[in-house]
Amino acid sequence: MTQKSLSKWLKGIILGIIVCGIIIYGFLIPMFGKDLAVENPEFAHCYYPWLVMLWISAIPCCLGLYHGWKITVEIAGDNSFSYENARHLKHICMLALADSAYFFVSNLAFLFLNMSHPAVLLASLFVDFAGVVVAVMAAALSHLVLKAAKIQQENQLTI
């Protein structure tokens, strides 16, 4: 597989994730939230705070996809192991950690404000765990890409 074809595949995957995110955050979450508010009128006042919290949690995901796109551009330019890619991966790591922490703290706050249920907090731990996994993988990849970039730079300096 060439660098250009790998880059095209990765860009296609990122675009697919963007479309899925728009469908989930733009249509499914508001639709299910309204249905839940109609079925349980005692929680109707929680609809907009939860919706805003979930939309805010999408911002780091979008920024992470932006950094992923920048990485694919570097891959297409046959510059896979670069300091720039290591930096983008580190940004993805930090965004994933920040989003996981925000999501956990928000769920905890909603639980204390009596706008949630303990089972929702427990279920959200799976989302938090997934975010931490993404962060750890991005940090590991960042470290490996940085080491490879250093080796590549040393090899370019030798005759």
PDB file of all heavy atoms in Angstrom, residues 46 48-58 60 97-117 120-122 124-125 127-128:
ATOM      1  N   CYS A  46     -34.133  18.474  32.505  1.00  0.00           N
ATOM      2  CA  CYS A  46     -32.733  18.055  32.326  1.00  0.00           C
ATOM      3  C   CYS A  46     -32.320  17.961  30.858  1.00  0.00           C
ATOM      4  O   CYS A  46     -31.131  17.787  30.560  1.00  0.00           O
ATOM      5  CB  CYS A  46     -32.514  16.692  32.976  1.00  0.00           C
ATOM      6  SG  CYS A  46     -32.896  16.627  34.715  1.00  0.00           S
ATOM      7  N   TYR A  48     -32.107  20.118  28.180  1.00  0.00           N
ATOM      8  CA  TYR A  48     -31.162  21.081  27.604  1.00  0.00           C
ATOM      9  C   TYR A  48     -29.793  21.067  28.297  1.00  0.00           C
ATOM     10  O   TYR A  48     -28.763  21.166  27.607  1.00  0.00           O
ATOM     11  CB  TYR A  48     -31.766  22.483  27.557  1.00  0.00           C
ATOM     12  CG  TYR A  48     -32.785  22.598  26.451  1.00  0.00           C
ATOM     13  CD1 TYR A  48     -34.143  22.676  26.736  1.00  0.00           C
ATOM     14  CD2 TYR A  48     -32.397  22.588  25.123  1.00  0.00           C
ATOM     15  CE1 TYR A  48     -35.087  22.748  25.720  1.00  0.00           C
ATOM     16  CE2 TYR A  48     -33.325  22.664  24.090  1.00  0.00           C
ATOM     17  CZ  TYR A  48     -34.666  22.746  24.401  1.00  0.00           C
ATOM     18  OH  TYR A  48     -35.592  22.801  23.395  1.00  0.00           O
ATOM     19  N   PRO A  49     -29.710  20.950  29.629  1.00  0.00           N
ATOM     20  CA  PRO A  49     -28.366  20.849  30.214  1.00  0.00           C
ATOM     21  C   PRO A  49     -27.583  19.631  29.704  1.00  0.00           C
ATOM     22  O   PRO A  49     -26.391  19.738  29.401  1.00  0.00           O
ATOM     23  CB  PRO A  49     -28.630  20.738  31.721  1.00  0.00           C
ATOM     24  CG  PRO A  49     -29.952  21.384  31.924  1.00  0.00           C
ATOM     25  CD  PRO A  49     -30.732  21.098  30.670  1.00  0.00           C
ATOM     26  N   TRP A  50     -28.259  18.488  29.587  1.00  0.00           N
ATOM     27  CA  TRP A  50     -27.590  17.301  29.071  1.00  0.00           C
ATOM     28  C   TRP A  50     -27.204  17.483  27.608  1.00  0.00           C
ATOM     29  O   TRP A  50     -26.111  17.094  27.193  1.00  0.00           O
ATOM     30  CB  TRP A  50     -28.503  16.070  29.204  1.00  0.00           C
ATOM     31  CG  TRP A  50     -28.314  15.358  30.498  1.00  0.00           C
ATOM     32  CD1 TRP A  50     -29.066  15.489  31.628  1.00  0.00           C
ATOM     33  CD2 TRP A  50     -27.299  14.414  30.801  1.00  0.00           C
ATOM     34  NE1 TRP A  50     -28.572  14.674  32.606  1.00  0.00           N
ATOM     35  CE2 TRP A  50     -27.485  13.987  32.129  1.00  0.00           C
ATOM     36  CE3 TRP A  50     -26.248  13.872  30.077  1.00  0.00           C
ATOM     37  CZ2 TRP A  50     -26.667  13.064  32.749  1.00  0.00           C
ATOM     38  CZ3 TRP A  50     -25.427  12.940  30.695  1.00  0.00           C
ATOM     39  CH2 TRP A  50     -25.635  12.550  32.014  1.00  0.00           C
ATOM     40  N   LEU A  51     -28.085  18.089  26.835  1.00  0.00           N
ATOM     41  CA  LEU A  51     -27.801  18.291  25.412  1.00  0.00           C
ATOM     42  C   LEU A  51     -26.585  19.194  25.231  1.00  0.00           C
ATOM     43  O   LEU A  51     -25.681  18.895  24.438  1.00  0.00           O
ATOM     44  CB  LEU A  51     -29.026  18.882  24.706  1.00  0.00           C
ATOM     45  CG  LEU A  51     -28.961  19.003  23.199  1.00  0.00           C
ATOM     46  CD1 LEU A  51     -28.818  17.633  22.546  1.00  0.00           C
ATOM     47  CD2 LEU A  51     -30.201  19.706  22.676  1.00  0.00           C
ATOM     48  N   VAL A  52     -26.539  20.282  25.991  1.00  0.00           N
ATOM     49  CA  VAL A  52     -25.403  21.207  25.896  1.00  0.00           C
ATOM     50  C   VAL A  52     -24.118  20.510  26.351  1.00  0.00           C
ATOM     51  O   VAL A  52     -23.064  20.644  25.720  1.00  0.00           O
ATOM     52  CB  VAL A  52     -25.678  22.486  26.712  1.00  0.00           C
ATOM     53  CG1 VAL A  52     -24.428  23.328  26.848  1.00  0.00           C
ATOM     54  CG2 VAL A  52     -26.790  23.291  26.057  1.00  0.00           C
ATOM     55  N   MET A  53     -24.199  19.741  27.435  1.00  0.00           N
ATOM     56  CA  MET A  53     -23.027  19.023  27.932  1.00  0.00           C
ATOM     57  C   MET A  53     -22.510  18.057  26.871  1.00  0.00           C
ATOM     58  O   MET A  53     -21.297  17.974  26.631  1.00  0.00           O
ATOM     59  CB  MET A  53     -23.374  18.267  29.212  1.00  0.00           C
ATOM     60  CG  MET A  53     -22.174  17.604  29.896  1.00  0.00           C
ATOM     61  SD  MET A  53     -21.698  15.958  29.340  1.00  0.00           S
ATOM     62  CE  MET A  53     -22.985  14.953  30.002  1.00  0.00           C
ATOM     63  N   LEU A  54     -23.390  17.332  26.229  1.00  0.00           N
ATOM     64  CA  LEU A  54     -22.965  16.382  25.199  1.00  0.00           C
ATOM     65  C   LEU A  54     -22.406  17.089  23.973  1.00  0.00           C
ATOM     66  O   LEU A  54     -21.429  16.626  23.368  1.00  0.00           O
ATOM     67  CB  LEU A  54     -24.120  15.460  24.828  1.00  0.00           C
ATOM     68  CG  LEU A  54     -24.510  14.464  25.918  1.00  0.00           C
ATOM     69  CD1 LEU A  54     -25.796  13.737  25.546  1.00  0.00           C
ATOM     70  CD2 LEU A  54     -23.393  13.476  26.172  1.00  0.00           C
ATOM     71  N   TRP A  55     -23.006  18.216  23.598  1.00  0.00           N
ATOM     72  CA  TRP A  55     -22.475  18.960  22.458  1.00  0.00           C
ATOM     73  C   TRP A  55     -21.090  19.520  22.769  1.00  0.00           C
ATOM     74  O   TRP A  55     -20.212  19.534  21.902  1.00  0.00           O
ATOM     75  CB  TRP A  55     -23.425  20.074  22.054  1.00  0.00           C
ATOM     76  CG  TRP A  55     -24.592  19.599  21.249  1.00  0.00           C
ATOM     77  CD1 TRP A  55     -24.768  18.381  20.663  1.00  0.00           C
ATOM     78  CD2 TRP A  55     -25.771  20.347  20.939  1.00  0.00           C
ATOM     79  NE1 TRP A  55     -25.980  18.319  20.010  1.00  0.00           N
ATOM     80  CE2 TRP A  55     -26.619  19.525  20.165  1.00  0.00           C
ATOM     81  CE3 TRP A  55     -26.206  21.623  21.244  1.00  0.00           C
ATOM     82  CZ2 TRP A  55     -27.843  19.942  19.686  1.00  0.00           C
ATOM     83  CZ3 TRP A  55     -27.436  22.046  20.771  1.00  0.00           C
ATOM     84  CH2 TRP A  55     -28.237  21.203  19.999  1.00  0.00           C
ATOM     85  N   ILE A  56     -20.892  19.981  23.990  1.00  0.00           N
ATOM     86  CA  ILE A  56     -19.562  20.481  24.368  1.00  0.00           C
ATOM     87  C   ILE A  56     -18.545  19.344  24.337  1.00  0.00           C
ATOM     88  O   ILE A  56     -17.395  19.541  23.939  1.00  0.00           O
ATOM     89  CB  ILE A  56     -19.612  21.171  25.747  1.00  0.00           C
ATOM     90  CG1 ILE A  56     -20.384  22.484  25.639  1.00  0.00           C
ATOM     91  CG2 ILE A  56     -18.207  21.429  26.296  1.00  0.00           C
ATOM     92  CD1 ILE A  56     -20.661  23.153  26.972  1.00  0.00           C
ATOM     93  N   SER A  57     -18.979  18.143  24.717  1.00  0.00           N
ATOM     94  CA  SER A  57     -18.052  17.005  24.693  1.00  0.00           C
ATOM     95  C   SER A  57     -17.656  16.623  23.270  1.00  0.00           C
ATOM     96  O   SER A  57     -16.669  15.913  23.076  1.00  0.00           O
ATOM     97  CB  SER A  57     -18.665  15.800  25.420  1.00  0.00           C
ATOM     98  OG  SER A  57     -19.660  15.197  24.645  1.00  0.00           O
ATOM     99  N   ALA A  58     -18.402  17.079  22.285  1.00  0.00           N
ATOM    100  CA  ALA A  58     -18.057  16.785  20.893  1.00  0.00           C
ATOM    101  C   ALA A  58     -16.936  17.687  20.372  1.00  0.00           C
ATOM    102  O   ALA A  58     -16.272  17.323  19.391  1.00  0.00           O
ATOM    103  CB  ALA A  58     -19.293  16.931  20.009  1.00  0.00           C
ATOM    104  N   PRO A  60     -13.840  18.538  21.635  1.00  0.00           N
ATOM    105  CA  PRO A  60     -12.508  17.916  21.568  1.00  0.00           C
ATOM    106  C   PRO A  60     -12.422  16.795  20.535  1.00  0.00           C
ATOM    107  O   PRO A  60     -11.365  16.596  19.932  1.00  0.00           O
ATOM    108  CB  PRO A  60     -12.294  17.361  22.984  1.00  0.00           C
ATOM    109  CG  PRO A  60     -13.210  18.131  23.852  1.00  0.00           C
ATOM    110  CD  PRO A  60     -14.384  18.489  22.992  1.00  0.00           C
ATOM    111  N   LEU A  97      -7.842  12.973  26.777  1.00  0.00           N
ATOM    112  CA  LEU A  97      -7.832  13.015  28.243  1.00  0.00           C
ATOM    113  C   LEU A  97      -8.740  14.109  28.777  1.00  0.00           C
ATOM    114  O   LEU A  97      -9.495  13.895  29.741  1.00  0.00           O
ATOM    115  CB  LEU A  97      -6.406  13.226  28.756  1.00  0.00           C
ATOM    116  CG  LEU A  97      -5.489  12.023  28.758  1.00  0.00           C
ATOM    117  CD1 LEU A  97      -4.100  12.404  29.227  1.00  0.00           C
ATOM    118  CD2 LEU A  97      -6.053  10.916  29.627  1.00  0.00           C
ATOM    119  N   ALA A  98      -8.683  15.280  28.159  1.00  0.00           N
ATOM    120  CA  ALA A  98      -9.529  16.391  28.601  1.00  0.00           C
ATOM    121  C   ALA A  98     -11.005  16.062  28.415  1.00  0.00           C
ATOM    122  O   ALA A  98     -11.834  16.347  29.296  1.00  0.00           O
ATOM    123  CB  ALA A  98      -9.164  17.660  27.835  1.00  0.00           C
ATOM    124  N   ASP A  99     -11.339  15.443  27.294  1.00  0.00           N
ATOM    125  CA  ASP A  99     -12.736  15.100  27.039  1.00  0.00           C
ATOM    126  C   ASP A  99     -13.225  14.036  28.022  1.00  0.00           C
ATOM    127  O   ASP A  99     -14.343  14.114  28.526  1.00  0.00           O
ATOM    128  CB  ASP A  99     -12.910  14.621  25.602  1.00  0.00           C
ATOM    129  CG  ASP A  99     -14.358  14.620  25.159  1.00  0.00           C
ATOM    130  OD1 ASP A  99     -15.148  15.444  25.672  1.00  0.00           O
ATOM    131  OD2 ASP A  99     -14.709  13.808  24.288  1.00  0.00           O
ATOM    132  N   SER A 100     -12.392  13.061  28.314  1.00  0.00           N
ATOM    133  CA  SER A 100     -12.768  12.023  29.279  1.00  0.00           C
ATOM    134  C   SER A 100     -12.980  12.622  30.665  1.00  0.00           C
ATOM    135  O   SER A 100     -13.951  12.286  31.355  1.00  0.00           O
ATOM    136  CB  SER A 100     -11.700  10.933  29.344  1.00  0.00           C
ATOM    137  OG  SER A 100     -11.632  10.244  28.137  1.00  0.00           O
ATOM    138  N   ALA A 101     -12.076  13.498  31.067  1.00  0.00           N
ATOM    139  CA  ALA A 101     -12.215  14.138  32.379  1.00  0.00           C
ATOM    140  C   ALA A 101     -13.468  15.011  32.424  1.00  0.00           C
ATOM    141  O   ALA A 101     -14.226  14.980  33.411  1.00  0.00           O
ATOM    142  CB  ALA A 101     -10.977  14.975  32.690  1.00  0.00           C
ATOM    143  N   TYR A 102     -13.689  15.798  31.373  1.00  0.00           N
ATOM    144  CA  TYR A 102     -14.885  16.651  31.309  1.00  0.00           C
ATOM    145  C   TYR A 102     -16.156  15.812  31.375  1.00  0.00           C
ATOM    146  O   TYR A 102     -17.097  16.147  32.106  1.00  0.00           O
ATOM    147  CB  TYR A 102     -14.865  17.481  30.025  1.00  0.00           C
ATOM    148  CG  TYR A 102     -16.195  18.115  29.698  1.00  0.00           C
ATOM    149  CD1 TYR A 102     -16.620  19.232  30.401  1.00  0.00           C
ATOM    150  CD2 TYR A 102     -17.018  17.596  28.716  1.00  0.00           C
ATOM    151  CE1 TYR A 102     -17.850  19.802  30.130  1.00  0.00           C
ATOM    152  CE2 TYR A 102     -18.238  18.157  28.432  1.00  0.00           C
ATOM    153  CZ  TYR A 102     -18.653  19.273  29.141  1.00  0.00           C
ATOM    154  OH  TYR A 102     -19.877  19.833  28.877  1.00  0.00           O
ATOM    155  N   PHE A 103     -16.187  14.722  30.637  1.00  0.00           N
ATOM    156  CA  PHE A 103     -17.377  13.874  30.590  1.00  0.00           C
ATOM    157  C   PHE A 103     -17.646  13.250  31.961  1.00  0.00           C
ATOM    158  O   PHE A 103     -18.789  13.205  32.420  1.00  0.00           O
ATOM    159  CB  PHE A 103     -17.193  12.794  29.515  1.00  0.00           C
ATOM    160  CG  PHE A 103     -18.458  12.107  29.114  1.00  0.00           C
ATOM    161  CD1 PHE A 103     -19.431  12.774  28.396  1.00  0.00           C
ATOM    162  CD2 PHE A 103     -18.679  10.785  29.451  1.00  0.00           C
ATOM    163  CE1 PHE A 103     -20.605  12.147  28.018  1.00  0.00           C
ATOM    164  CE2 PHE A 103     -19.845  10.137  29.080  1.00  0.00           C
ATOM    165  CZ  PHE A 103     -20.816  10.828  28.370  1.00  0.00           C
ATOM    166  N   PHE A 104     -16.596  12.794  32.626  1.00  0.00           N
ATOM    167  CA  PHE A 104     -16.767  12.203  33.953  1.00  0.00           C
ATOM    168  C   PHE A 104     -17.240  13.239  34.963  1.00  0.00           C
ATOM    169  O   PHE A 104     -18.188  12.995  35.725  1.00  0.00           O
ATOM    170  CB  PHE A 104     -15.460  11.555  34.423  1.00  0.00           C
ATOM    171  CG  PHE A 104     -15.559  10.991  35.809  1.00  0.00           C
ATOM    172  CD1 PHE A 104     -16.256   9.816  36.045  1.00  0.00           C
ATOM    173  CD2 PHE A 104     -14.955  11.630  36.873  1.00  0.00           C
ATOM    174  CE1 PHE A 104     -16.356   9.293  37.322  1.00  0.00           C
ATOM    175  CE2 PHE A 104     -15.052  11.114  38.160  1.00  0.00           C
ATOM    176  CZ  PHE A 104     -15.745   9.943  38.381  1.00  0.00           C
ATOM    177  N   VAL A 105     -16.591  14.390  35.008  1.00  0.00           N
ATOM    178  CA  VAL A 105     -16.957  15.436  35.971  1.00  0.00           C
ATOM    179  C   VAL A 105     -18.371  15.939  35.696  1.00  0.00           C
ATOM    180  O   VAL A 105     -19.149  16.182  36.635  1.00  0.00           O
ATOM    181  CB  VAL A 105     -15.925  16.588  35.935  1.00  0.00           C
ATOM    182  CG1 VAL A 105     -16.398  17.795  36.713  1.00  0.00           C
ATOM    183  CG2 VAL A 105     -14.587  16.099  36.466  1.00  0.00           C
ATOM    184  N   SER A 106     -18.740  16.086  34.435  1.00  0.00           N
ATOM    185  CA  SER A 106     -20.093  16.540  34.092  1.00  0.00           C
ATOM    186  C   SER A 106     -21.139  15.527  34.553  1.00  0.00           C
ATOM    187  O   SER A 106     -22.173  15.906  35.117  1.00  0.00           O
ATOM    188  CB  SER A 106     -20.229  16.752  32.590  1.00  0.00           C
ATOM    189  OG  SER A 106     -19.369  17.760  32.148  1.00  0.00           O
ATOM    190  N   ASN A 107     -20.878  14.253  34.319  1.00  0.00           N
ATOM    191  CA  ASN A 107     -21.809  13.226  34.771  1.00  0.00           C
ATOM    192  C   ASN A 107     -21.916  13.204  36.289  1.00  0.00           C
ATOM    193  O   ASN A 107     -23.017  13.046  36.833  1.00  0.00           O
ATOM    194  CB  ASN A 107     -21.376  11.845  34.256  1.00  0.00           C
ATOM    195  CG  ASN A 107     -21.906  11.571  32.890  1.00  0.00           C
ATOM    196  OD1 ASN A 107     -23.105  11.522  32.691  1.00  0.00           O
ATOM    197  ND2 ASN A 107     -21.010  11.396  31.935  1.00  0.00           N
ATOM    198  N   LEU A 108     -20.800  13.382  36.957  1.00  0.00           N
ATOM    199  CA  LEU A 108     -20.804  13.414  38.417  1.00  0.00           C
ATOM    200  C   LEU A 108     -21.585  14.630  38.928  1.00  0.00           C
ATOM    201  O   LEU A 108     -22.375  14.519  39.871  1.00  0.00           O
ATOM    202  CB  LEU A 108     -19.361  13.436  38.919  1.00  0.00           C
ATOM    203  CG  LEU A 108     -19.101  13.032  40.348  1.00  0.00           C
ATOM    204  CD1 LEU A 108     -19.579  11.611  40.599  1.00  0.00           C
ATOM    205  CD2 LEU A 108     -17.623  13.149  40.660  1.00  0.00           C
ATOM    206  N   ALA A 109     -21.378  15.781  38.285  1.00  0.00           N
ATOM    207  CA  ALA A 109     -22.110  16.985  38.682  1.00  0.00           C
ATOM    208  C   ALA A 109     -23.610  16.815  38.466  1.00  0.00           C
ATOM    209  O   ALA A 109     -24.416  17.201  39.338  1.00  0.00           O
ATOM    210  CB  ALA A 109     -21.599  18.194  37.896  1.00  0.00           C
ATOM    211  N   PHE A 110     -23.995  16.239  37.340  1.00  0.00           N
ATOM    212  CA  PHE A 110     -25.424  16.008  37.092  1.00  0.00           C
ATOM    213  C   PHE A 110     -26.009  15.026  38.107  1.00  0.00           C
ATOM    214  O   PHE A 110     -27.163  15.161  38.503  1.00  0.00           O
ATOM    215  CB  PHE A 110     -25.665  15.505  35.673  1.00  0.00           C
ATOM    216  CG  PHE A 110     -25.602  16.580  34.625  1.00  0.00           C
ATOM    217  CD1 PHE A 110     -25.332  16.262  33.308  1.00  0.00           C
ATOM    218  CD2 PHE A 110     -25.823  17.902  34.945  1.00  0.00           C
ATOM    219  CE1 PHE A 110     -25.281  17.243  32.337  1.00  0.00           C
ATOM    220  CE2 PHE A 110     -25.771  18.893  33.981  1.00  0.00           C
ATOM    221  CZ  PHE A 110     -25.500  18.566  32.679  1.00  0.00           C
ATOM    222  N   LEU A 111     -25.218  14.062  38.539  1.00  0.00           N
ATOM    223  CA  LEU A 111     -25.694  13.123  39.556  1.00  0.00           C
ATOM    224  C   LEU A 111     -25.936  13.861  40.877  1.00  0.00           C
ATOM    225  O   LEU A 111     -26.973  13.670  41.515  1.00  0.00           O
ATOM    226  CB  LEU A 111     -24.679  11.995  39.755  1.00  0.00           C
ATOM    227  CG  LEU A 111     -25.058  10.935  40.782  1.00  0.00           C
ATOM    228  CD1 LEU A 111     -26.278  10.147  40.298  1.00  0.00           C
ATOM    229  CD2 LEU A 111     -23.896  10.005  41.043  1.00  0.00           C
ATOM    230  N   PHE A 112     -25.007  14.730  41.277  1.00  0.00           N
ATOM    231  CA  PHE A 112     -25.170  15.477  42.524  1.00  0.00           C
ATOM    232  C   PHE A 112     -26.286  16.513  42.442  1.00  0.00           C
ATOM    233  O   PHE A 112     -26.879  16.880  43.454  1.00  0.00           O
ATOM    234  CB  PHE A 112     -23.862  16.143  42.937  1.00  0.00           C
ATOM    235  CG  PHE A 112     -22.839  15.174  43.450  1.00  0.00           C
ATOM    236  CD1 PHE A 112     -21.527  15.250  43.016  1.00  0.00           C
ATOM    237  CD2 PHE A 112     -23.175  14.169  44.342  1.00  0.00           C
ATOM    238  CE1 PHE A 112     -20.577  14.358  43.478  1.00  0.00           C
ATOM    239  CE2 PHE A 112     -22.231  13.268  44.815  1.00  0.00           C
ATOM    240  CZ  PHE A 112     -20.922  13.363  44.379  1.00  0.00           C
ATOM    241  N   LEU A 113     -26.577  16.991  41.229  1.00  0.00           N
ATOM    242  CA  LEU A 113     -27.677  17.947  41.040  1.00  0.00           C
ATOM    243  C   LEU A 113     -29.017  17.244  40.864  1.00  0.00           C
ATOM    244  O   LEU A 113     -30.013  17.893  40.545  1.00  0.00           O
ATOM    245  CB  LEU A 113     -27.392  18.840  39.832  1.00  0.00           C
ATOM    246  CG  LEU A 113     -26.232  19.814  39.976  1.00  0.00           C
ATOM    247  CD1 LEU A 113     -25.928  20.483  38.645  1.00  0.00           C
ATOM    248  CD2 LEU A 113     -26.538  20.842  41.047  1.00  0.00           C
ATOM    249  N   ASN A 114     -29.011  15.938  41.033  1.00  0.00           N
ATOM    250  CA  ASN A 114     -30.218  15.116  40.884  1.00  0.00           C
ATOM    251  C   ASN A 114     -30.804  15.227  39.468  1.00  0.00           C
ATOM    252  O   ASN A 114     -32.017  15.241  39.287  1.00  0.00           O
ATOM    253  CB  ASN A 114     -31.264  15.470  41.950  1.00  0.00           C
ATOM    254  CG  ASN A 114     -32.254  14.346  42.158  1.00  0.00           C
ATOM    255  OD1 ASN A 114     -31.961  13.193  41.877  1.00  0.00           O
ATOM    256  ND2 ASN A 114     -33.431  14.698  42.638  1.00  0.00           N
ATOM    257  N   MET A 115     -29.916  15.322  38.491  1.00  0.00           N
ATOM    258  CA  MET A 115     -30.328  15.380  37.089  1.00  0.00           C
ATOM    259  C   MET A 115     -29.891  14.121  36.348  1.00  0.00           C
ATOM    260  O   MET A 115     -29.907  14.092  35.122  1.00  0.00           O
ATOM    261  CB  MET A 115     -29.727  16.617  36.414  1.00  0.00           C
ATOM    262  CG  MET A 115     -30.217  17.920  36.993  1.00  0.00           C
ATOM    263  SD  MET A 115     -29.359  19.345  36.329  1.00  0.00           S
ATOM    264  CE  MET A 115     -29.893  19.350  34.649  1.00  0.00           C
ATOM    265  N   SER A 116     -29.472  13.118  37.103  1.00  0.00           N
ATOM    266  CA  SER A 116     -28.987  11.890  36.499  1.00  0.00           C
ATOM    267  C   SER A 116     -29.260  10.731  37.456  1.00  0.00           C
ATOM    268  O   SER A 116     -29.807  10.925  38.546  1.00  0.00           O
ATOM    269  CB  SER A 116     -27.485  12.000  36.205  1.00  0.00           C
ATOM    270  OG  SER A 116     -27.029  10.875  35.507  1.00  0.00           O
ATOM    271  N   HIS A 117     -28.841   9.576  37.036  1.00  0.00           N
ATOM    272  CA  HIS A 117     -29.024   8.357  37.810  1.00  0.00           C
ATOM    273  C   HIS A 117     -27.652   7.696  37.976  1.00  0.00           C
ATOM    274  O   HIS A 117     -26.815   7.800  37.076  1.00  0.00           O
ATOM    275  CB  HIS A 117     -29.992   7.420  37.072  1.00  0.00           C
ATOM    276  CG  HIS A 117     -30.442   6.262  37.888  1.00  0.00           C
ATOM    277  ND1 HIS A 117     -29.722   5.092  37.933  1.00  0.00           N
ATOM    278  CD2 HIS A 117     -31.511   6.090  38.687  1.00  0.00           C
ATOM    279  CE1 HIS A 117     -30.333   4.240  38.727  1.00  0.00           C
ATOM    280  NE2 HIS A 117     -31.425   4.820  39.200  1.00  0.00           N
ATOM    281  N   VAL A 120     -26.411   5.769  35.040  1.00  0.00           N
ATOM    282  CA  VAL A 120     -25.898   6.562  33.910  1.00  0.00           C
ATOM    283  C   VAL A 120     -24.425   6.873  34.141  1.00  0.00           C
ATOM    284  O   VAL A 120     -23.616   6.796  33.210  1.00  0.00           O
ATOM    285  CB  VAL A 120     -26.730   7.853  33.729  1.00  0.00           C
ATOM    286  CG1 VAL A 120     -26.118   8.742  32.675  1.00  0.00           C
ATOM    287  CG2 VAL A 120     -28.168   7.509  33.382  1.00  0.00           C
ATOM    288  N   LEU A 121     -24.074   7.202  35.383  1.00  0.00           N
ATOM    289  CA  LEU A 121     -22.677   7.466  35.710  1.00  0.00           C
ATOM    290  C   LEU A 121     -21.833   6.212  35.482  1.00  0.00           C
ATOM    291  O   LEU A 121     -20.741   6.291  34.898  1.00  0.00           O
ATOM    292  CB  LEU A 121     -22.535   7.950  37.148  1.00  0.00           C
ATOM    293  CG  LEU A 121     -21.110   8.238  37.610  1.00  0.00           C
ATOM    294  CD1 LEU A 121     -20.533   9.425  36.847  1.00  0.00           C
ATOM    295  CD2 LEU A 121     -21.071   8.489  39.095  1.00  0.00           C
ATOM    296  N   LEU A 122     -22.331   5.075  35.913  1.00  0.00           N
ATOM    297  CA  LEU A 122     -21.590   3.826  35.701  1.00  0.00           C
ATOM    298  C   LEU A 122     -21.449   3.500  34.215  1.00  0.00           C
ATOM    299  O   LEU A 122     -20.384   3.068  33.767  1.00  0.00           O
ATOM    300  CB  LEU A 122     -22.277   2.673  36.429  1.00  0.00           C
ATOM    301  CG  LEU A 122     -22.163   2.696  37.954  1.00  0.00           C
ATOM    302  CD1 LEU A 122     -22.986   1.577  38.564  1.00  0.00           C
ATOM    303  CD2 LEU A 122     -20.718   2.603  38.384  1.00  0.00           C
ATOM    304  N   SER A 124     -21.421   5.656  31.831  1.00  0.00           N
ATOM    305  CA  SER A 124     -20.528   6.641  31.220  1.00  0.00           C
ATOM    306  C   SER A 124     -19.064   6.312  31.479  1.00  0.00           C
ATOM    307  O   SER A 124     -18.186   6.824  30.780  1.00  0.00           O
ATOM    308  CB  SER A 124     -20.857   8.047  31.714  1.00  0.00           C
ATOM    309  OG  SER A 124     -20.409   8.222  33.048  1.00  0.00           O
ATOM    310  N   LEU A 125     -18.797   5.473  32.454  1.00  0.00           N
ATOM    311  CA  LEU A 125     -17.414   5.071  32.702  1.00  0.00           C
ATOM    312  C   LEU A 125     -16.833   4.313  31.513  1.00  0.00           C
ATOM    313  O   LEU A 125     -15.625   4.370  31.272  1.00  0.00           O
ATOM    314  CB  LEU A 125     -17.322   4.228  33.970  1.00  0.00           C
ATOM    315  CG  LEU A 125     -17.563   4.981  35.286  1.00  0.00           C
ATOM    316  CD1 LEU A 125     -17.501   4.018  36.456  1.00  0.00           C
ATOM    317  CD2 LEU A 125     -16.585   6.121  35.461  1.00  0.00           C
ATOM    318  N   VAL A 127     -17.470   5.059  28.394  1.00  0.00           N
ATOM    319  CA  VAL A 127     -17.076   6.125  27.471  1.00  0.00           C
ATOM    320  C   VAL A 127     -15.771   6.756  27.945  1.00  0.00           C
ATOM    321  O   VAL A 127     -14.864   7.021  27.147  1.00  0.00           O
ATOM    322  CB  VAL A 127     -18.195   7.183  27.337  1.00  0.00           C
ATOM    323  CG1 VAL A 127     -17.757   8.347  26.482  1.00  0.00           C
ATOM    324  CG2 VAL A 127     -19.462   6.551  26.792  1.00  0.00           C
ATOM    325  N   ASP A 128     -15.679   6.992  29.262  1.00  0.00           N
ATOM    326  CA  ASP A 128     -14.449   7.554  29.819  1.00  0.00           C
ATOM    327  C   ASP A 128     -13.263   6.616  29.586  1.00  0.00           C
ATOM    328  O   ASP A 128     -12.170   7.066  29.231  1.00  0.00           O
ATOM    329  CB  ASP A 128     -14.608   7.816  31.315  1.00  0.00           C
ATOM    330  CG  ASP A 128     -15.628   8.901  31.605  1.00  0.00           C
ATOM    331  OD1 ASP A 128     -15.715   9.852  30.804  1.00  0.00           O
ATOM    332  OD2 ASP A 128     -16.325   8.798  32.628  1.00  0.00           O
TER     333      ASP A 128
END
